[in-house]
Amino acid sequence: ENTDDLPNVIVAMAPLLAPLLLLMSALPSGLASDGAAGPYPPLSDAASAVLGDVRSFADLRPCEATSAELARYGPDDALAPCLLYDIRDYVPAGGDGGSPGRRRDQADEAREDDRVESGDSTTSGRAAAADPARSLESEGTAEVSLVQVTPSNCNNHRDGAVTSVGLLNSSNAGRGFGIGYRSAGDVSSGLALGREEGDRSVKFRLVSIVGGNPANVGNDVFTEVHVFLLDSAIRQIGNAAFILGSCSFASWADKPVALENRKVVLSQVGPPGFYDPASNPYVFGIHVNSDTYPLPALSALTFRLQAEGRATSTQQVRALYRDRSEFFKSTCESAVNAARQRGFDVTAIEYNPDGDDDGDGVPNSQDDEHVRALADRLCPPSDGDGTPRGTHHPAIFACVNQEVDVVIGRLRENGCRPVSAWFTTATWGWATANPETIPYFQGGGQWHENFKYGDEFFESGQAVLDYGLEEYGYLGNYDHVVSYAMPMFLAKLLQSYFRVQDSPDVAASLGDGNYEIIRRHLMNINVDTIFGPVSFNEYQRNNGRGAAGTQWIPASSVSSSSSRGSNEDSGEGETTDEATVFKQGCVSPLDQANTAIVIPSPSSSDCDAGSYVNRLSIESEPALLATKCAACPADTFMSVPSSEVQCAACPEGSSTMDESGSTRCVTVEQNLIGGLEYMGYVLVAISWSMSLGYLAWVMLNRKNSVVKISQPEFLVMMCVGAMISSSAIIPWSNAQASVGGDVDAASRNCMTWPWLYSIGWTLMFSSLTAKSVRLNMVATNSMNMQRKTVNAKDMYFIVVIVLLLDIAILTAWTVVDPLQWTRSVVGTSVAEAGVVTIDSFGKCGSSGNMFAFLGPIIAVHVTLIAVTLGLLWKVRNIGDRYQEFKYVAIASVYICELLLLGVPILVAVQDSAPARYIVITGVIFLSDTGVMAFIFLPKIKYAKEGLPEGMTVVESMNLPSLKISFKSIIQLMDKRILSQGKEIEKLK
């Protein structure tokens, strides 16, 4: 998965390589096989079979497949060694040298030229004319050869170099990169051709050999072939100056050849044990030290503890790692050593992946029971409360490979909630293949797509990969960027070395006598590349920058918009956890980071108030480091952040009002009317009983003069109106809703009771008004000695008009701004820990100004009273038996007194639902029953008493037309006789 990871098969080679190196140092120089000289053991039969008729580098044939196609070869695909690239010149695209030109395939020509140099008689006659290096020298351009041997699968390690060599050679109008004092100093600076004597430039020759398919022939056989071909190429290519390192296990084969031929190799491997300047001073590592991979995570943990004021000794650091791999062992041991130096409580768990500790015949790394036992030491089973026994949440470092799934599964079973988890697999293909597991995991590697290091040709390493996708047909990984950076770095090395020379002699400087100076210069150089700053420490390791620290975090927290490629493997670089998209963010180096590290992990953090640690989530959810918090169920609460595994139950009498995630329980003083609605129903029954009693009395006494003159039709209407008005108490009693109750029903009742009360009241008083109009008309006709009939039905229009007006106003009110039930909080108080008492009240209210509609209704009602009183005033002299003015006036005053008393009380108790209910219910009941009593009780009294003795009904009415004296009658008769006498005289 990781090219820095030397797999077990590589580790198995270490014991073979050690005696091989000892044997090579003991053997005298000579031919290991035909055409290849050096202190190497004879080739095995298997290696010779792979080489076939290839006796030296000159015998290599061009590869028949592309680099990408070769990388896909499997165990069944045989591959003979071949020459993939032999790049000696580039023709600038468009002739301007501004971009890499199209590569000319010169593998055949190169092979023939090298045969000439090696004395092959078949091509000896073409040597002078076909020597490109010689023709380049005549133009002031030197050729320096870079040699590389790779396995078939290492396309990223070789193709990046093709891009950079093409760009370098096409610089300066195709003359290559300038060197010497007159050069401007960077690889793309211009040199005026023939401008001055002594101008110099350099072109690279890139020889890239594919040594075979190790998946088919095995690593040991491939290593023999690799050593043979690399040594042969360096010996036969006269200007071979540098070796571009191979990949993975094949890198070891570069080392003896570099030492024997005294040529620098830029190795592309990370473990520190690979480098030993004392035994091999020609091996330089362009990769940053893989030991630094976990250090950003440890530094972040340290800073976090300092911010919390905690000592590092209170935090456990536990590391699990293999001991048979240089990469795994040294990487995790660096974290262990650094943690101990900083005072952490450290536990190191080292194991042999190839051993069989329990003797069951299964290697430890493949023995699930053994791996689970290791995971138990890494994070012990919990006590049942989600916290490891006797510890804080551990910080985990795991340098593991295929056993990672078993380890994480066991940690999950143990209820482990690590404060952080750094895994070697977090930057490999395993991460993108396990999106549900990886959130918040940390990792480390050589490079990250967010790195903004650039050079003269590309603004970033990601741009190199984008170019490679178009040029080579695949999206490379960080090794492609490293491969690209190596020729660029060597170009800057040569520029730096020759910067003070007027006419550099490249061939002489790179010869055997002066090459040591170049090597020493390499030890002291500091160069900026697209891979980042490159410089070498005392171990000849690149320490120009730190490793790329990464963490899988929500994409919303990552500033970069790119989503391609993790820093170690190509891949999507994104994963999802339900609705959250997780992306591999860069957290170090700080100048290249695109996000801040998340530590402690959400899993180990206290849950927010209103939530608890869900034990089921800890043991079942795949995401080990994601939050394990869940909202408190209804009627439970958590008032403060905590790691409790359950929420507290609400005390008796309190609740969370059916809401989850509560930080408190609530006791709500709802200020409902309680059982008072039954009082309202009783009052309604009383009012209805009185109205029905009056109605029955009217029907039974409809022939009584008191009833007849009082117009029974309108008396019936008054009874019905009183019943409708009193019915308003029923919806008014239900115009309330508890917290969480049916607010819609309460709102409907809020608007219903004004309808009933207003229409009932209007019907009652409009009937009285119509009756008064009719009585007034009868009295007027009587005074004028006129006999006219005034029917009751003629007065119905008065009732209808007033009712329609009232209904119109109520309808507008209902449509435009109806009354709604709303509840408001008056205040809160804390009764006990976690319990809050909320004092609230509800009422019928309007979103606007309800007096815009209530005002017109009041105006209609007041007008009815005023008109009725005015009409009755005119007939005030009617007999007391039939007189209503006095009683209606008393009823009106009574109503005013009710309002004058009720309104101030209502204002005073507006926040008390029971008091408000009693006041309004009382006003409705008393106004209805009072008005009816003032109208009907006098009539019942006079009807019961009957007519005074000797008095007729007409006389009892005491109309004005009957109050005429006898003298007036005689005078009226005399006038009539006198008038008739005059008429007789006229007739006479």
Side-chain angles (χ1 to χ4, degrees):
E1 293 271 337
N2 188 327
T3 57
D4 283 341
D5 166 24
L6 301 179
N8 294 333
V9 67
I10 304 171
V11 176
M13 290 183 57
L16 299 176
L17 288 172
L20 176 63
L21 294 177
L22 292 174
L23 180 60
M24 288 191 299
S25 62
L27 290 174
S29 297
L31 292 177
S33 182
D34 293 343
Y40 312 114
L43 290 172
S44 67
D45 293 340
S48 298
V50 171
L51 287 169
D53 60 355
V54 176
R55 317 308 293 174
S56 69
F57 162 70
D59 295 326
L60 288 173
R61 293 178 176 82
C63 296
E64 297 180 355
T66 66
S67 180
E69 291 170 345
L70 291 171
R72 293 191 288 269
Y73 276 27
D76 298 329
D77 298 314
L79 176 64
C82 58
L83 182 61
L84 181 63
Y85 300 117
D86 189 351
I87 302 171
R88 305 196 70 168
D89 199 2
Y90 264 68
V91 177
D96 59 2
S99 61
R102 180 172 180 176
R103 178 173 57 83
R104 286 190 294 157
D105 190 352
Q106 296 177 320
D108 291 328
E109 295 180 14
R111 184 173 66 253
E112 292 178 359
D113 292 336
D114 291 322
R115 282 176 178 169
V116 170
E117 296 175 8
S118 62
D120 191 328
S121 61
T122 59
T123 57
S124 59
R126 304 175 52 221
D131 188 350
R134 212 169 285 146
S135 61
L136 288 172
E137 287 288 353
S138 65
E139 299 176 0
T141 301
E143 182 181 74
V144 175
S145 293
L146 312 178
V147 182
Q148 184 181 41
V149 178
T150 57
S152 58
N153 59 298
C154 294
N155 53 319
N156 278 292
H157 295 73
R158 57 189 174 239
D159 291 343
V162 175
T163 300
S164 59
V165 168
L167 289 166
L168 290 168
N169 288 354
S170 64
S171 298
N172 300 310
R175 290 191 58 193
F177 59 92
I179 60 171
Y181 184 71
R182 293 185 178 87
S183 173
D186 60 56
V187 295
S188 62
S189 61
L191 287 175
L193 295 180
R195 183 176 59 188
E196 290 188 28
E197 184 72 23
D199 284 346
R200 291 291 184 269
S201 61
V202 173
K203 283 188 174 183
F204 282 140
R205 177 185 180 184
L206 176 60
V207 176
S208 183
I209 302 168
V210 176
N213 179 11
N216 178 259
V217 300
N219 293 342
D220 293 344
V221 172
F222 176 84
T223 300
E224 292 185 71
V225 174
H226 184 130
V227 171
F228 172 83
L229 293 175
L230 181 59
D231 182 83
S232 176
I234 292 176
R235 292 179 183 277
Q236 291 189 15
I237 300 173
N239 56 9
F242 301 100
I243 301 172
L244 300 185
S246 189
C247 66
S248 191
F249 77 93
S251 301
W252 290 84
D254 295 332
K255 294 174 65 176
V257 179
L259 179 62
E260 171 61 23
N261 292 279
R262 298 184 180 181
K263 302 297 181 185
V264 167
V265 56
L266 285 181
S267 294
Q268 302 186 66
V269 290
F274 183 85
Y275 302 90
D276 182 12
S279 62
N280 193 340
Y282 295 96
V283 180
F284 288 79
I286 193 169
H287 279 192
V288 297
N289 191 343
S290 58
D291 286 4
T292 64
Y293 287 2
L295 299 186
L298 189 65
S299 297
L301 179 61
T302 304
F303 296 150
R304 180 68 184 183
L305 293 176
Q306 291 175 349
E308 295 176 352
R310 287 176 52 195
T312 54
S313 59
T314 64
Q315 176 63 59
Q316 280 206 345
V317 172
R318 288 186 164 122
L320 173 66
Y321 55 93
R322 297 178 168 207
D323 67 357
R324 290 298 185 270
S325 165
E326 174 68 20
F327 170 70
F328 289 125
K329 180 179 173 66
S330 64
T331 299
C332 267
E333 279 190 343
S334 69
V336 169
N337 294 334
R340 284 173 175 160
Q341 291 174 2
R342 300 181 188 188
F344 285 94
D345 181 6
V346 180
T347 300
I349 306 166
E350 184 177 351
Y351 80 103
N352 179 3
D354 303 321
D356 183 12
D357 290 1
D358 56 8
D360 61 358
V362 180
N364 291 334
S365 62
Q366 301 175 33
D367 189 337
D368 289 354
E369 288 300 322
H370 183 77
V371 174
R372 279 194 284 267
L374 293 174
D376 288 342
R377 296 172 60 192
L378 189 64
C379 190
S382 67
D383 291 323
D385 61 355
T387 305
R389 297 191 191 100
T391 70
H392 296 286
H393 305 286
I396 292 176
F397 293 85
C399 299
V400 293
N401 199 346
Q402 70 268 16
E403 64 270 31
V404 60
D405 291 323
V406 178
V407 171
I408 293 177
R410 186 60 172 180
L411 296 180
R412 193 182 298 117
E413 293 174 4
N414 289 348
C416 189
R417 297 164 56 208
V419 68
S420 64
W422 187 97
F423 275 66
T424 50
T425 54
T427 55
W428 301 354
W430 172 86
T432 52
N434 292 273
E436 71 286 349
T437 303
I438 203 64
Y440 301 105
F441 269 62
Q442 298 178 58
Q446 293 289 325
W447 180 82
H448 189 276
E449 62 181 0
N450 192 65
F451 280 6
K452 300 306 179 185
Y453 302 118
D455 62 13
E456 294 84 353
F457 303 104
F458 293 101
E459 62 180 8
S460 68
Q462 186 61 51
V464 173
L465 298 184
D466 293 339
Y467 176 82
L469 176 62
E470 180 179 353
E471 185 75 5
Y472 306 108
Y474 67 91
L475 181 65
N477 58 24
Y478 83 101
D479 287 313
H480 197 105
V481 180
V482 176
S483 175
Y484 169 89
M486 289 192 296
M488 292 290 178
F489 168 77
L490 293 174
K492 293 188 176 183
L493 169 69
L494 296 178
Q495 285 188 323
S496 173
Y497 180 77
F498 293 116
R499 69 183 182 276
V500 297
Q501 299 182 26
D502 289 326
S503 299
D505 187 343
V506 177
S509 298
L510 294 177
D512 292 340
N514 299 311
Y515 193 84
E516 177 61 17
I517 301 176
I518 288 283
R519 191 194 69 81
R520 294 179 181 180
H521 189 72
L522 187 61
M523 296 175 61
N524 296 284
I525 196 171
N526 191 339
V527 173
D528 290 328
T529 72
I530 207 163
F531 186 60
V534 176
S535 60
F536 299 101
N537 59 16
E538 66 273 22
Y539 303 107
Q540 298 179 181
R541 297 300 314 281
N542 179 10
N543 65 345
R545 63 166 173 84
T550 68
Q551 185 177 34
W552 289 90
I553 59 175
S556 58
S557 302
V558 181
S559 61
S560 174
S561 60
S562 176
S563 64
R564 294 179 303 185
S566 66
N567 66 21
E568 291 298 294
D569 280 318
S570 60
E572 290 304 315
E574 286 188 357
T575 183
T576 57
D577 178 24
E578 296 181 355
T580 304
V581 176
F582 281 81
K583 181 177 181 180
Q584 189 177 198
C586 178
V587 298
S588 67
L590 292 179
D591 61 337
Q592 301 294 315
N594 62 353
T595 185
I597 194 169
V598 177
I599 191 169
S601 69
S603 173
S604 68
S605 302
D606 286 346
C607 294
D608 293 335
S611 58
Y612 69 103
V613 178
N614 189 331
R615 194 179 308 170
L616 181 62
S617 297
I618 295 174
E619 298 176 358
S620 62
E621 289 186 359
L624 182 69
L625 301 184
T627 181
K628 305 304 178 185
C629 299
C632 291
D635 296 333
T636 64
F637 74 101
M638 185 62 66
S639 59
V640 296
S642 73
S643 292
E644 298 295 330
V645 295
Q646 64 181 8
C647 297
C650 289
E652 185 177 359
S654 64
S655 70
T656 61
M657 296 181 288
D658 295 327
E659 293 185 359
S660 59
S662 296
T663 59
R664 60 188 183 181
C665 293
V666 176
T667 299
V668 180
E669 294 294 339
Q670 302 188 72
N671 281 318
L672 299 176
I673 63 175
L676 291 176
E677 66 267 22
Y678 297 107
M679 179 197 74
Y681 298 150
V682 171
L683 295 178
V684 171
I686 294 173
S687 179
W688 280 15
S689 298
M690 293 178 64
S691 298
L692 290 173
Y694 294 144
L695 182 60
W697 178 83
V698 170
M699 300 306 294
L700 292 173
N701 296 275
R702 60 185 178 279
K703 293 183 179 181
N704 188 287
S705 59
V706 174
V707 175
K708 292 178 68 175
I709 292 174
S710 296
Q711 306 169 65
E713 299 90 343
F714 294 110
L715 291 178
V716 170
M717 288 185 185
M718 290 181 66
C719 291
V720 173
M723 293 177 66
I724 295 174
S725 179
S726 298
S727 298
I729 295 176
I730 297 175
W732 167 239
S733 300
N734 292 282
Q736 63 174 353
S738 60
V739 175
D742 190 352
V743 176
D744 292 338
S747 296
R748 289 192 296 270
N749 288 318
C750 283
M751 200 64 231
T752 300
W753 79 264
W755 272 82
L756 293 175
Y757 180 70
S758 182
I759 290 176
W761 197 95
T762 299
L763 181 61
M764 186 168 58
F765 262 84
S766 64
S767 299
L768 190 59
T769 301
K771 186 165 73 72
S772 299
V773 170
R774 186 183 183 194
L775 182 61
N776 191 273
M777 292 177 67
V778 171
T780 300
N781 291 337
S782 176
M783 290 178 62
N784 294 331
M785 300 298 291
Q786 296 177 347
R787 184 179 179 84
K788 291 184 178 180
T789 300
V790 181
N791 296 319
K793 64 181 180 180
D794 296 333
M795 299 295 104
Y796 289 164
F797 80 93
I798 296 175
V799 177
V800 173
I801 289 175
V802 176
L803 279 175
L804 289 176
L805 180 60
D806 199 56
I807 290 172
I809 297 172
L810 288 169
T811 301
W813 189 3
T814 303
V815 172
V816 176
D817 189 18
L819 293 176
Q820 299 287 332
W821 172 261
T822 57
R823 179 169 292 278
S824 303
V825 176
V826 178
T828 59
S829 60
V830 179
E832 56 183 281
V835 179
V836 175
T837 299
I838 299 178
D839 189 13
S840 67
F841 77 99
K843 66 177 181 179
C844 297
S846 175
S847 59
N849 184 9
M850 68 176 181
F851 285 97
F853 302 99
L854 189 59
I857 292 176
I858 294 175
V860 170
H861 292 187
V862 171
T863 302
L864 274 177
I865 295 174
V867 170
T868 302
L869 289 174
L871 292 171
L872 292 175
W873 170 263
K874 291 182 179 182
V875 292
R876 65 187 179 280
N877 294 322
I878 198 171
D880 288 342
R881 285 174 58 86
Y882 316 107
Q883 219 255 76
E884 291 182 332
F885 170 74
K886 177 170 63 176
Y887 303 111
V888 172
I890 293 174
S892 300
V893 172
Y894 168 74
I895 292 174
C896 290
E897 288 179 345
L898 285 177
L899 295 177
L900 289 174
L901 180 64
V903 171
I905 295 176
L906 188 63
V907 172
V909 300
Q910 62 177 336
D911 292 342
S912 173
R916 189 173 66 250
Y917 175 80
I918 292 174
V919 171
I920 294 179
T921 301
V923 168
I924 295 173
F925 173 76
L926 292 175
S927 64
D928 290 341
T929 57
V931 169
M932 295 295 286
F934 283 120
I935 296 299
F936 279 92
L937 291 180
K939 297 183 185 303
I940 294 173
K941 172 178 175 295
Y942 285 115
K944 184 176 181 181
E945 290 176 353
L947 291 170
E949 187 176 352
M951 183 177 290
T952 65
V953 174
V954 174
E955 291 173 340
S956 67
M957 291 180 64
N958 197 26
L959 290 172
S961 59
L962 300 178
K963 292 184 177 181
I964 302 175
S965 65
F966 180 75
K967 181 178 180 179
S968 298
I969 295 174
I970 297 300
Q971 290 176 350
L972 182 60
M973 292 177 66
D974 288 343
K975 289 180 180 180
R976 188 171 182 181
I977 293 171
L978 181 60
S979 175
Q980 290 177 348
K982 290 181 179 180
E983 290 178 357
I984 293 171
E985 288 297 324
K986 288 180 180 180
L987 290 173
K988 290 179 177 181

